[in-house]
Amino acid sequence: MAKYQKQFNISLPLSLFNQLQESLEIIPPSFEYEIEGFYGILRDISTNLYTVNSKMVPLSSVILQQKYGKSYRKMLDYMYFNNIITENHQYTEGNCRNYGIKSEISVNGIDDICVIPICLNSMYGKYVKKRHNKEQRLAKGKKHHIRGLRNWFYKLELDVNKALQHLEDNKDQITTEQFLAIYDDILCFDKNSKNLRYFKRNEINGRVDSNLTSLKSYFKKFIISDIDLFQLDLKNSQPVLFNIILDIIHKLINDEISLEEVFLTLCYKNKYIKEIISLVYQWVKRDSKWVDILNKEIPLYREYTSKGIWYEHVTDIYNGHYNTDVFDRSMSKSLWMALAYSGNYSGKYNRSKLAFESEYIGIGRLLRKFKQKEYNQLAICLQQIESEIFIDGIAKILIEKGITPFTIHDSIIVNEEQLEDAREVMLTVMEQHLGFMPILDEEALNDLKFKSKCDAEDVARIIDDIEDVIIQVEKSSSLKTD
């Protein structure tokens, strides 16, 4: 188990660190403060820039006060007026204020990152220590398999130096924002930063969240182990798990199960999804054409996802629809996330859905029905199903067999000697819930390749450009006809 030391390390861009230091020397703050608070706030912003497209990061005032004390507001104002950070001062109830970095962050490699020690006696240090102690207390009351997963995670060691060197070697493939986030994630596994480790079960979706689940996949190859490690993951994971919901609807519209029996399925934890399934059932039953459409589309969807080729199929749909070859598997994976999880009225993705909905009229309509009131609930439900299968099913059985895996949401990591047993357990559990054996991807961690992530918004912009060209061509053709 990780033991507390007198400090832990965080990272900041060197240019940002120097700018703060210079400002503090030239214009000393007129209020009492802890320097760790300034460092922590800047870390909160800089390491989360990759998650937003507006360059503005939402920060909760409640959490800021817990982490940095009552003077957090004065520290924010000081950095704002000294042109270190930017702030969206518009406050709306229920939404956090947003913060960004004023100047363009200059990072050309790991030498442009500053590692800063944070004293455990500071407000920030006490917050981290308190969070860890709370997690430790809660862990004692958790189920045996959750405690086993947690204890195994805290024994994990990462070759931080090698990981950072490979980050340096691949810096040209990622943005500055991604570089900062990955560097900070790696640093959390340093022996001097163990206090920053966390392992918790998400109260909303049931997933186990940890530093390992947030770490970019490629860097898992630097986990230190005497026996080669392998990752087993469910191919086309979220589309495959959607079969569980589609199967319920398919059986309902064909009178194979009753609405009451839906409560016995893996959807039972999500009240919203159960209600929508009931509404969908009533909608479909009112118009027999939808029964025919879904009876055709759901088995087809099941066929592609069960074979692990769903994203390739989506690629063919979009290339065929637009008569192009620009779309690939990586783009289609991002597209599917936008199709399934973005709001029905999201301007960014409205046109991105046209090609899919022209091919899958019924399932396209179902996706919109599921998101008509609370668009995020479909994603949450699928994550709940995933955690039920992987954490309370697969991981639990493996631990009972004497195999403790590392879990990363829809995948597990085991050593080579455990691989065959782990694969058998995964397939058995998933067949029980899905009704078919899905395809598993198996990869040695040593063989992991560095891949840049395809952004859904970038794909959406490509589609917008194509649609604009189509409109222009149609207008031109119309003018010639007239």
Side-chain angles (χ1 to χ4, degrees), residues 242 297 301 310 313-314 317-318 321-322 336 339 351-365 367:
F242 188 44
E297 290 184 3
Y301 178 93
W310 176 248
H313 178 52
V314 172
I317 290 173
Y318 277 81
H321 184 85
Y322 291 112
W336 170 253
L339 286 165
R351 297 164 95 182
S352 300
K353 300 173 184 178
L354 297 176
F356 179 80
E357 291 178 341
S358 67
E359 185 76 15
Y360 284 89
I361 301 171
I363 291 178
R365 180 68 68 90
L367 287 171

PDB file of all heavy atoms in Angstrom, residues 242 297 301 310 313-314 317-318 321-322 336 339 351-365 367:
ATOM      1  N   PHE A 242     -24.696  -2.010 -26.393  1.00  0.00           N
ATOM      2  CA  PHE A 242     -25.998  -1.448 -26.776  1.00  0.00           C
ATOM      3  C   PHE A 242     -26.951  -2.555 -27.219  1.00  0.00           C
ATOM      4  O   PHE A 242     -28.171  -2.395 -27.186  1.00  0.00           O
ATOM      5  CB  PHE A 242     -25.802  -0.408 -27.880  1.00  0.00           C
ATOM      6  CG  PHE A 242     -27.041   0.380 -28.223  1.00  0.00           C
ATOM      7  CD1 PHE A 242     -27.875   0.885 -27.232  1.00  0.00           C
ATOM      8  CD2 PHE A 242     -27.371   0.617 -29.555  1.00  0.00           C
ATOM      9  CE1 PHE A 242     -29.007   1.615 -27.562  1.00  0.00           C
ATOM     10  CE2 PHE A 242     -28.502   1.343 -29.888  1.00  0.00           C
ATOM     11  CZ  PHE A 242     -29.327   1.852 -28.886  1.00  0.00           C
ATOM     12  N   GLU A 297     -33.421  -4.170 -38.762  1.00  0.00           N
ATOM     13  CA  GLU A 297     -32.188  -3.470 -38.411  1.00  0.00           C
ATOM     14  C   GLU A 297     -31.489  -4.048 -37.179  1.00  0.00           C
ATOM     15  O   GLU A 297     -30.254  -4.122 -37.144  1.00  0.00           O
ATOM     16  CB  GLU A 297     -32.475  -1.982 -38.178  1.00  0.00           C
ATOM     17  CG  GLU A 297     -32.829  -1.244 -39.457  1.00  0.00           C
ATOM     18  CD  GLU A 297     -33.017   0.250 -39.225  1.00  0.00           C
ATOM     19  OE1 GLU A 297     -32.810   0.716 -38.080  1.00  0.00           O
ATOM     20  OE2 GLU A 297     -33.383   0.947 -40.187  1.00  0.00           O
ATOM     21  N   TYR A 301     -27.649  -5.071 -36.939  1.00  0.00           N
ATOM     22  CA  TYR A 301     -26.746  -4.396 -35.996  1.00  0.00           C
ATOM     23  C   TYR A 301     -26.018  -5.435 -35.144  1.00  0.00           C
ATOM     24  O   TYR A 301     -24.799  -5.340 -34.931  1.00  0.00           O
ATOM     25  CB  TYR A 301     -27.560  -3.459 -35.100  1.00  0.00           C
ATOM     26  CG  TYR A 301     -26.752  -2.737 -34.050  1.00  0.00           C
ATOM     27  CD1 TYR A 301     -26.224  -1.478 -34.290  1.00  0.00           C
ATOM     28  CD2 TYR A 301     -26.518  -3.314 -32.800  1.00  0.00           C
ATOM     29  CE1 TYR A 301     -25.480  -0.805 -33.323  1.00  0.00           C
ATOM     30  CE2 TYR A 301     -25.773  -2.660 -31.830  1.00  0.00           C
ATOM     31  CZ  TYR A 301     -25.262  -1.407 -32.101  1.00  0.00           C
ATOM     32  OH  TYR A 301     -24.518  -0.756 -31.132  1.00  0.00           O
ATOM     33  N   TRP A 310     -18.084  -3.405 -36.377  1.00  0.00           N
ATOM     34  CA  TRP A 310     -19.071  -2.328 -36.443  1.00  0.00           C
ATOM     35  C   TRP A 310     -18.469  -1.026 -36.971  1.00  0.00           C
ATOM     36  O   TRP A 310     -19.057  -0.358 -37.822  1.00  0.00           O
ATOM     37  CB  TRP A 310     -19.688  -2.087 -35.071  1.00  0.00           C
ATOM     38  CG  TRP A 310     -20.643  -0.917 -35.059  1.00  0.00           C
ATOM     39  CD1 TRP A 310     -20.493   0.269 -34.434  1.00  0.00           C
ATOM     40  CD2 TRP A 310     -21.905  -0.851 -35.744  1.00  0.00           C
ATOM     41  NE1 TRP A 310     -21.566   1.080 -34.669  1.00  0.00           N
ATOM     42  CE2 TRP A 310     -22.457   0.423 -35.476  1.00  0.00           C
ATOM     43  CE3 TRP A 310     -22.620  -1.736 -36.561  1.00  0.00           C
ATOM     44  CZ2 TRP A 310     -23.691   0.833 -35.985  1.00  0.00           C
ATOM     45  CZ3 TRP A 310     -23.853  -1.322 -37.074  1.00  0.00           C
ATOM     46  CH2 TRP A 310     -24.367  -0.056 -36.789  1.00  0.00           C
ATOM     47  N   HIS A 313     -17.994  -1.112 -40.562  1.00  0.00           N
ATOM     48  CA  HIS A 313     -19.298  -0.980 -41.223  1.00  0.00           C
ATOM     49  C   HIS A 313     -19.728   0.482 -41.283  1.00  0.00           C
ATOM     50  O   HIS A 313     -20.218   0.953 -42.329  1.00  0.00           O
ATOM     51  CB  HIS A 313     -20.325  -1.819 -40.465  1.00  0.00           C
ATOM     52  CG  HIS A 313     -21.715  -1.739 -41.016  1.00  0.00           C
ATOM     53  ND1 HIS A 313     -22.001  -1.962 -42.347  1.00  0.00           N
ATOM     54  CD2 HIS A 313     -22.904  -1.456 -40.408  1.00  0.00           C
ATOM     55  CE1 HIS A 313     -23.310  -1.834 -42.543  1.00  0.00           C
ATOM     56  NE2 HIS A 313     -23.870  -1.513 -41.386  1.00  0.00           N
ATOM     57  N   VAL A 314     -19.539   1.202 -40.188  1.00  0.00           N
ATOM     58  CA  VAL A 314     -19.876   2.633 -40.165  1.00  0.00           C
ATOM     59  C   VAL A 314     -19.011   3.387 -41.175  1.00  0.00           C
ATOM     60  O   VAL A 314     -19.486   4.307 -41.860  1.00  0.00           O
ATOM     61  CB  VAL A 314     -19.693   3.216 -38.744  1.00  0.00           C
ATOM     62  CG1 VAL A 314     -19.860   4.739 -38.750  1.00  0.00           C
ATOM     63  CG2 VAL A 314     -20.692   2.584 -37.771  1.00  0.00           C
ATOM     64  N   ILE A 317     -20.538   2.947 -44.488  1.00  0.00           N
ATOM     65  CA  ILE A 317     -21.762   3.745 -44.615  1.00  0.00           C
ATOM     66  C   ILE A 317     -21.433   5.173 -45.022  1.00  0.00           C
ATOM     67  O   ILE A 317     -22.036   5.730 -45.957  1.00  0.00           O
ATOM     68  CB  ILE A 317     -22.555   3.742 -43.287  1.00  0.00           C
ATOM     69  CG1 ILE A 317     -23.166   2.353 -43.029  1.00  0.00           C
ATOM     70  CG2 ILE A 317     -23.659   4.812 -43.309  1.00  0.00           C
ATOM     71  CD1 ILE A 317     -23.824   2.223 -41.672  1.00  0.00           C
ATOM     72  N   TYR A 318     -20.460   5.775 -44.338  1.00  0.00           N
ATOM     73  CA  TYR A 318     -20.149   7.185 -44.596  1.00  0.00           C
ATOM     74  C   TYR A 318     -19.410   7.369 -45.912  1.00  0.00           C
ATOM     75  O   TYR A 318     -19.689   8.327 -46.656  1.00  0.00           O
ATOM     76  CB  TYR A 318     -19.357   7.766 -43.421  1.00  0.00           C
ATOM     77  CG  TYR A 318     -20.280   8.207 -42.310  1.00  0.00           C
ATOM     78  CD1 TYR A 318     -20.793   7.282 -41.412  1.00  0.00           C
ATOM     79  CD2 TYR A 318     -20.675   9.533 -42.193  1.00  0.00           C
ATOM     80  CE1 TYR A 318     -21.675   7.663 -40.420  1.00  0.00           C
ATOM     81  CE2 TYR A 318     -21.559   9.929 -41.196  1.00  0.00           C
ATOM     82  CZ  TYR A 318     -22.065   8.993 -40.313  1.00  0.00           C
ATOM     83  OH  TYR A 318     -22.954   9.390 -39.337  1.00  0.00           O
ATOM     84  N   HIS A 321     -22.127   6.870 -48.555  1.00  0.00           N
ATOM     85  CA  HIS A 321     -23.105   7.968 -48.580  1.00  0.00           C
ATOM     86  C   HIS A 321     -22.542   9.197 -49.280  1.00  0.00           C
ATOM     87  O   HIS A 321     -23.259   9.869 -50.040  1.00  0.00           O
ATOM     88  CB  HIS A 321     -23.511   8.316 -47.145  1.00  0.00           C
ATOM     89  CG  HIS A 321     -24.576   9.367 -47.057  1.00  0.00           C
ATOM     90  ND1 HIS A 321     -25.921   9.068 -47.151  1.00  0.00           N
ATOM     91  CD2 HIS A 321     -24.500  10.720 -46.885  1.00  0.00           C
ATOM     92  CE1 HIS A 321     -26.628  10.176 -47.040  1.00  0.00           C
ATOM     93  NE2 HIS A 321     -25.786  11.196 -46.874  1.00  0.00           N
ATOM     94  N   TYR A 322     -21.271   9.472 -49.039  1.00  0.00           N
ATOM     95  CA  TYR A 322     -20.657  10.674 -49.602  1.00  0.00           C
ATOM     96  C   TYR A 322     -19.769  10.388 -50.818  1.00  0.00           C
ATOM     97  O   TYR A 322     -19.098  11.291 -51.318  1.00  0.00           O
ATOM     98  CB  TYR A 322     -19.842  11.394 -48.528  1.00  0.00           C
ATOM     99  CG  TYR A 322     -20.708  12.009 -47.449  1.00  0.00           C
ATOM    100  CD1 TYR A 322     -20.690  11.506 -46.146  1.00  0.00           C
ATOM    101  CD2 TYR A 322     -21.552  13.066 -47.735  1.00  0.00           C
ATOM    102  CE1 TYR A 322     -21.489  12.060 -45.153  1.00  0.00           C
ATOM    103  CE2 TYR A 322     -22.371  13.625 -46.752  1.00  0.00           C
ATOM    104  CZ  TYR A 322     -22.334  13.115 -45.458  1.00  0.00           C
ATOM    105  OH  TYR A 322     -23.126  13.665 -44.478  1.00  0.00           O
ATOM    106  N   TRP A 336     -19.251   7.449 -34.025  1.00  0.00           N
ATOM    107  CA  TRP A 336     -20.261   6.686 -33.286  1.00  0.00           C
ATOM    108  C   TRP A 336     -20.504   7.298 -31.911  1.00  0.00           C
ATOM    109  O   TRP A 336     -21.642   7.378 -31.456  1.00  0.00           O
ATOM    110  CB  TRP A 336     -19.837   5.225 -33.136  1.00  0.00           C
ATOM    111  CG  TRP A 336     -20.740   4.482 -32.190  1.00  0.00           C
ATOM    112  CD1 TRP A 336     -20.467   4.076 -30.927  1.00  0.00           C
ATOM    113  CD2 TRP A 336     -22.098   4.106 -32.440  1.00  0.00           C
ATOM    114  NE1 TRP A 336     -21.554   3.463 -30.364  1.00  0.00           N
ATOM    115  CE2 TRP A 336     -22.583   3.479 -31.277  1.00  0.00           C
ATOM    116  CE3 TRP A 336     -22.955   4.255 -33.521  1.00  0.00           C
ATOM    117  CZ2 TRP A 336     -23.878   2.989 -31.175  1.00  0.00           C
ATOM    118  CZ3 TRP A 336     -24.256   3.768 -33.421  1.00  0.00           C
ATOM    119  CH2 TRP A 336     -24.696   3.139 -32.265  1.00  0.00           C
ATOM    120  N   LEU A 339     -22.703  10.184 -32.490  1.00  0.00           N
ATOM    121  CA  LEU A 339     -24.044   9.734 -32.863  1.00  0.00           C
ATOM    122  C   LEU A 339     -24.841   9.266 -31.650  1.00  0.00           C
ATOM    123  O   LEU A 339     -26.013   9.608 -31.479  1.00  0.00           O
ATOM    124  CB  LEU A 339     -23.935   8.569 -33.853  1.00  0.00           C
ATOM    125  CG  LEU A 339     -23.514   8.877 -35.283  1.00  0.00           C
ATOM    126  CD1 LEU A 339     -23.119   7.592 -35.992  1.00  0.00           C
ATOM    127  CD2 LEU A 339     -24.636   9.565 -36.019  1.00  0.00           C
ATOM    128  N   ARG A 351     -25.466  17.398 -38.711  1.00  0.00           N
ATOM    129  CA  ARG A 351     -25.259  16.897 -40.063  1.00  0.00           C
ATOM    130  C   ARG A 351     -24.464  15.594 -40.058  1.00  0.00           C
ATOM    131  O   ARG A 351     -24.544  14.807 -41.017  1.00  0.00           O
ATOM    132  CB  ARG A 351     -24.555  17.962 -40.898  1.00  0.00           C
ATOM    133  CG  ARG A 351     -25.388  19.220 -41.056  1.00  0.00           C
ATOM    134  CD  ARG A 351     -24.553  20.393 -41.532  1.00  0.00           C
ATOM    135  NE  ARG A 351     -24.597  20.573 -42.967  1.00  0.00           N
ATOM    136  CZ  ARG A 351     -23.908  21.507 -43.616  1.00  0.00           C
ATOM    137  NH1 ARG A 351     -23.115  22.328 -42.943  1.00  0.00           N
ATOM    138  NH2 ARG A 351     -23.983  21.617 -44.918  1.00  0.00           N
ATOM    139  N   SER A 352     -23.722  15.355 -38.995  1.00  0.00           N
ATOM    140  CA  SER A 352     -22.932  14.124 -38.902  1.00  0.00           C
ATOM    141  C   SER A 352     -23.805  12.887 -38.777  1.00  0.00           C
ATOM    142  O   SER A 352     -23.356  11.768 -39.050  1.00  0.00           O
ATOM    143  CB  SER A 352     -21.980  14.199 -37.695  1.00  0.00           C
ATOM    144  OG  SER A 352     -21.096  15.281 -37.812  1.00  0.00           O
ATOM    145  N   LYS A 353     -25.046  13.081 -38.378  1.00  0.00           N
ATOM    146  CA  LYS A 353     -25.937  11.951 -38.139  1.00  0.00           C
ATOM    147  C   LYS A 353     -26.716  11.540 -39.381  1.00  0.00           C
ATOM    148  O   LYS A 353     -27.334  10.477 -39.410  1.00  0.00           O
ATOM    149  CB  LYS A 353     -26.906  12.298 -37.003  1.00  0.00           C
ATOM    150  CG  LYS A 353     -26.202  12.616 -35.683  1.00  0.00           C
ATOM    151  CD  LYS A 353     -27.173  13.128 -34.632  1.00  0.00           C
ATOM    152  CE  LYS A 353     -26.422  13.528 -33.356  1.00  0.00           C
ATOM    153  NZ  LYS A 353     -27.306  14.082 -32.318  1.00  0.00           N
ATOM    154  N   LEU A 354     -26.689  12.386 -40.412  1.00  0.00           N
ATOM    155  CA  LEU A 354     -27.548  12.159 -41.576  1.00  0.00           C
ATOM    156  C   LEU A 354     -27.257  10.847 -42.289  1.00  0.00           C
ATOM    157  O   LEU A 354     -28.166  10.096 -42.629  1.00  0.00           O
ATOM    158  CB  LEU A 354     -27.405  13.331 -42.551  1.00  0.00           C
ATOM    159  CG  LEU A 354     -27.845  14.701 -42.019  1.00  0.00           C
ATOM    160  CD1 LEU A 354     -27.565  15.783 -43.063  1.00  0.00           C
ATOM    161  CD2 LEU A 354     -29.317  14.689 -41.634  1.00  0.00           C
ATOM    162  N   ALA A 355     -25.980  10.567 -42.528  1.00  0.00           N
ATOM    163  CA  ALA A 355     -25.619   9.353 -43.270  1.00  0.00           C
ATOM    164  C   ALA A 355     -26.047   8.100 -42.519  1.00  0.00           C
ATOM    165  O   ALA A 355     -26.615   7.171 -43.110  1.00  0.00           O
ATOM    166  CB  ALA A 355     -24.113   9.335 -43.537  1.00  0.00           C
ATOM    167  N   PHE A 356     -25.766   8.072 -41.202  1.00  0.00           N
ATOM    168  CA  PHE A 356     -26.134   6.893 -40.416  1.00  0.00           C
ATOM    169  C   PHE A 356     -27.652   6.730 -40.369  1.00  0.00           C
ATOM    170  O   PHE A 356     -28.168   5.625 -40.546  1.00  0.00           O
ATOM    171  CB  PHE A 356     -25.586   7.013 -38.992  1.00  0.00           C
ATOM    172  CG  PHE A 356     -25.953   5.852 -38.112  1.00  0.00           C
ATOM    173  CD1 PHE A 356     -25.246   4.665 -38.180  1.00  0.00           C
ATOM    174  CD2 PHE A 356     -27.031   5.936 -37.233  1.00  0.00           C
ATOM    175  CE1 PHE A 356     -25.600   3.579 -37.389  1.00  0.00           C
ATOM    176  CE2 PHE A 356     -27.386   4.860 -36.433  1.00  0.00           C
ATOM    177  CZ  PHE A 356     -26.668   3.677 -36.515  1.00  0.00           C
ATOM    178  N   GLU A 357     -28.355   7.824 -40.138  1.00  0.00           N
ATOM    179  CA  GLU A 357     -29.814   7.731 -39.996  1.00  0.00           C
ATOM    180  C   GLU A 357     -30.509   7.412 -41.317  1.00  0.00           C
ATOM    181  O   GLU A 357     -31.654   6.939 -41.305  1.00  0.00           O
ATOM    182  CB  GLU A 357     -30.355   9.038 -39.412  1.00  0.00           C
ATOM    183  CG  GLU A 357     -29.954   9.247 -37.961  1.00  0.00           C
ATOM    184  CD  GLU A 357     -30.420  10.555 -37.368  1.00  0.00           C
ATOM    185  OE1 GLU A 357     -30.746  11.482 -38.139  1.00  0.00           O
ATOM    186  OE2 GLU A 357     -30.462  10.648 -36.125  1.00  0.00           O
ATOM    187  N   SER A 358     -29.846   7.634 -42.444  1.00  0.00           N
ATOM    188  CA  SER A 358     -30.432   7.238 -43.719  1.00  0.00           C
ATOM    189  C   SER A 358     -30.271   5.736 -43.945  1.00  0.00           C
ATOM    190  O   SER A 358     -31.049   5.118 -44.676  1.00  0.00           O
ATOM    191  CB  SER A 358     -29.772   8.005 -44.869  1.00  0.00           C
ATOM    192  OG  SER A 358     -28.411   7.619 -45.024  1.00  0.00           O
ATOM    193  N   GLU A 359     -29.252   5.135 -43.292  1.00  0.00           N
ATOM    194  CA  GLU A 359     -29.004   3.694 -43.418  1.00  0.00           C
ATOM    195  C   GLU A 359     -29.734   2.904 -42.336  1.00  0.00           C
ATOM    196  O   GLU A 359     -30.256   1.813 -42.599  1.00  0.00           O
ATOM    197  CB  GLU A 359     -27.500   3.423 -43.324  1.00  0.00           C
ATOM    198  CG  GLU A 359     -27.094   1.996 -43.554  1.00  0.00           C
ATOM    199  CD  GLU A 359     -27.130   1.607 -45.021  1.00  0.00           C
ATOM    200  OE1 GLU A 359     -27.194   2.516 -45.878  1.00  0.00           O
ATOM    201  OE2 GLU A 359     -27.095   0.394 -45.305  1.00  0.00           O
ATOM    202  N   TYR A 360     -29.770   3.436 -41.136  1.00  0.00           N
ATOM    203  CA  TYR A 360     -30.443   2.796 -39.999  1.00  0.00           C
ATOM    204  C   TYR A 360     -31.529   3.739 -39.492  1.00  0.00           C
ATOM    205  O   TYR A 360     -31.365   4.431 -38.479  1.00  0.00           O
ATOM    206  CB  TYR A 360     -29.438   2.475 -38.890  1.00  0.00           C
ATOM    207  CG  TYR A 360     -28.572   1.271 -39.166  1.00  0.00           C
ATOM    208  CD1 TYR A 360     -27.362   1.392 -39.834  1.00  0.00           C
ATOM    209  CD2 TYR A 360     -28.989  -0.002 -38.780  1.00  0.00           C
ATOM    210  CE1 TYR A 360     -26.565   0.284 -40.098  1.00  0.00           C
ATOM    211  CE2 TYR A 360     -28.203  -1.126 -39.043  1.00  0.00           C
ATOM    212  CZ  TYR A 360     -26.990  -0.970 -39.700  1.00  0.00           C
ATOM    213  OH  TYR A 360     -26.215  -2.072 -39.968  1.00  0.00           O
ATOM    214  N   ILE A 361     -32.639   3.738 -40.206  1.00  0.00           N
ATOM    215  CA  ILE A 361     -33.732   4.662 -39.883  1.00  0.00           C
ATOM    216  C   ILE A 361     -34.296   4.378 -38.495  1.00  0.00           C
ATOM    217  O   ILE A 361     -34.525   5.289 -37.698  1.00  0.00           O
ATOM    218  CB  ILE A 361     -34.857   4.540 -40.935  1.00  0.00           C
ATOM    219  CG1 ILE A 361     -34.312   4.850 -42.328  1.00  0.00           C
ATOM    220  CG2 ILE A 361     -36.010   5.482 -40.599  1.00  0.00           C
ATOM    221  CD1 ILE A 361     -35.294   4.542 -43.447  1.00  0.00           C
ATOM    222  N   GLY A 362     -34.517   3.101 -38.200  1.00  0.00           N
ATOM    223  CA  GLY A 362     -35.126   2.723 -36.924  1.00  0.00           C
ATOM    224  C   GLY A 362     -34.204   2.933 -35.745  1.00  0.00           C
ATOM    225  O   GLY A 362     -34.595   3.542 -34.743  1.00  0.00           O
ATOM    226  N   ILE A 363     -32.963   2.442 -35.835  1.00  0.00           N
ATOM    227  CA  ILE A 363     -32.019   2.597 -34.729  1.00  0.00           C
ATOM    228  C   ILE A 363     -31.649   4.066 -34.558  1.00  0.00           C
ATOM    229  O   ILE A 363     -31.467   4.541 -33.432  1.00  0.00           O
ATOM    230  CB  ILE A 363     -30.775   1.721 -34.959  1.00  0.00           C
ATOM    231  CG1 ILE A 363     -31.158   0.242 -34.832  1.00  0.00           C
ATOM    232  CG2 ILE A 363     -29.665   2.060 -33.956  1.00  0.00           C
ATOM    233  CD1 ILE A 363     -30.030  -0.737 -35.090  1.00  0.00           C
ATOM    234  N   GLY A 364     -31.567   4.799 -35.668  1.00  0.00           N
ATOM    235  CA  GLY A 364     -31.325   6.239 -35.570  1.00  0.00           C
ATOM    236  C   GLY A 364     -32.424   6.928 -34.788  1.00  0.00           C
ATOM    237  O   GLY A 364     -32.165   7.789 -33.945  1.00  0.00           O
ATOM    238  N   ARG A 365     -33.680   6.521 -35.060  1.00  0.00           N
ATOM    239  CA  ARG A 365     -34.815   7.085 -34.317  1.00  0.00           C
ATOM    240  C   ARG A 365     -34.776   6.664 -32.845  1.00  0.00           C
ATOM    241  O   ARG A 365     -35.078   7.465 -31.957  1.00  0.00           O
ATOM    242  CB  ARG A 365     -36.128   6.625 -34.960  1.00  0.00           C
ATOM    243  CG  ARG A 365     -37.398   7.145 -34.289  1.00  0.00           C
ATOM    244  CD  ARG A 365     -37.569   8.640 -34.472  1.00  0.00           C
ATOM    245  NE  ARG A 365     -37.832   8.985 -35.851  1.00  0.00           N
ATOM    246  CZ  ARG A 365     -39.054   9.064 -36.385  1.00  0.00           C
ATOM    247  NH1 ARG A 365     -40.128   8.805 -35.642  1.00  0.00           N
ATOM    248  NH2 ARG A 365     -39.207   9.414 -37.641  1.00  0.00           N
ATOM    249  N   LEU A 367     -32.103   6.035 -31.043  1.00  0.00           N
ATOM    250  CA  LEU A 367     -31.066   6.816 -30.362  1.00  0.00           C
ATOM    251  C   LEU A 367     -31.602   8.196 -29.993  1.00  0.00           C
ATOM    252  O   LEU A 367     -31.316   8.714 -28.909  1.00  0.00           O
ATOM    253  CB  LEU A 367     -29.833   6.944 -31.261  1.00  0.00           C
ATOM    254  CG  LEU A 367     -28.986   5.681 -31.429  1.00  0.00           C
ATOM    255  CD1 LEU A 367     -27.941   5.872 -32.509  1.00  0.00           C
ATOM    256  CD2 LEU A 367     -28.323   5.290 -30.107  1.00  0.00           C
TER     257      LEU A 367
END
